[in-house]
Amino acid sequence: MVIKNLAHGIGALALALVPLLPTPATPAAQAAPVAEVTTLADAVGLLKVTEENRAGYTASSFRHWNAGEDPTDGCDTRAEVLLAEAVVAPTVGSGCKLTGGRWTSYLEGQEVTDAGSLEVAHMVALGEAWDSGASAWTAGRREAYANDQGADVSLVAVTSRTNRKKADKDPADWMPPSPEVQCRYTGEWVSTKLRWQLTADDRELEALKVYAEGPCEDTIVRYAPAA
């Protein structure tokens, strides 16, 4: 009887412990993607090269801005990015209105003190993403791309003037005017393309190689595949 009760007790203890162990359905078993770290030249070599196709593209194909990473804070993705990139934090008012604060738009090296004069640009613009593979995505994945705060380089605060100049051009047609930030920009461009498994066309690839094999050969690229 003692042995039977002991066995029953051990069995009950084992059953009680089962929910504490990670299972495939629990978050503990769903490890976050491991970030890849490589040289810019090797990263460029990982890009798949295809022809671009703009057919069917509209900006409305990518829902943005959505409620952001924290749907309870009253701020959309754009505002959350501005808050994250502020050098001096702004005051957040009703409706997530931002007043005060200070930013540095690295693409032009300009200091900005008015959130209203900033735009949040996609490192790889929506049109370029569409050309490079996003046209085949689901609406949900395009929304995730357009609001991606899972990587620091996916979205960047810039002045309206620079965003207009950058538009949806790839590095074959536009680069930041200051050589001091061109390597950073190139690395972040390639990182974003690899994160989302976007392709490059021939002209784009050749432009990237000019930097990767020249002035930016020491640039390191880090990226984690998007979920």
Side-chain angles (χ1 to χ4, degrees), residues 16-141:
L17 289 174
V18 167
L20 301 178
L21 300 176
T23 67
T26 65
Q30 299 172 356
V34 177
E36 302 287 343
V37 181
T38 186
T39 64
L40 179 58
D42 285 345
V44 170
L46 294 174
L47 291 172
K48 181 180 178 181
V49 181
T50 63
E51 293 184 6
E52 293 185 349
N53 186 354
R54 184 62 61 96
Y57 168 72
T58 61
S60 61
S61 299
F62 296 79
R63 180 173 175 251
H64 67 292
W65 305 108
N66 64 18
E69 284 190 318
D70 182 1
T72 69
D73 66 2
C75 298
D76 62 13
T77 299
R78 175 189 177 276
E80 288 183 353
V81 171
L82 292 179
L83 287 169
E85 293 192 5
V87 178
V88 175
T91 299
V92 183
S94 176
C96 198
K97 181 179 180 180
L98 306 182
T99 55
R102 180 163 55 88
W103 293 262
T104 299
S105 178
Y106 95 84
L107 293 185
E108 64 251 87
Q110 181 174 334
E111 186 174 287
V112 179
T113 56
D114 176 14
S117 66
L118 287 168
E119 296 182 6
V120 172
H122 296 89
M123 174 56 60
V124 175
L126 301 182
E128 170 68 19
W130 179 274
D131 297 348
S132 308
S135 59
W137 294 351
T138 64
R141 187 165 178 81

Side-chain angles (χ1 to χ4, degrees), residues 160-192:
S160 299
R161 179 181 61 183
T162 292
N163 202 23
R164 286 194 299 270
K165 290 180 178 179
K166 177 180 179 295
D168 58 5
K169 301 180 181 72
D170 67 33
D173 296 311
W174 187 87
M175 287 291 287
S178 173
E180 295 179 357
V181 300
Q182 289 175 350
C183 292
R184 174 181 172 182
Y185 180 78
T186 305
E188 293 182 356
W189 177 276
V190 176
S191 172
T192 303

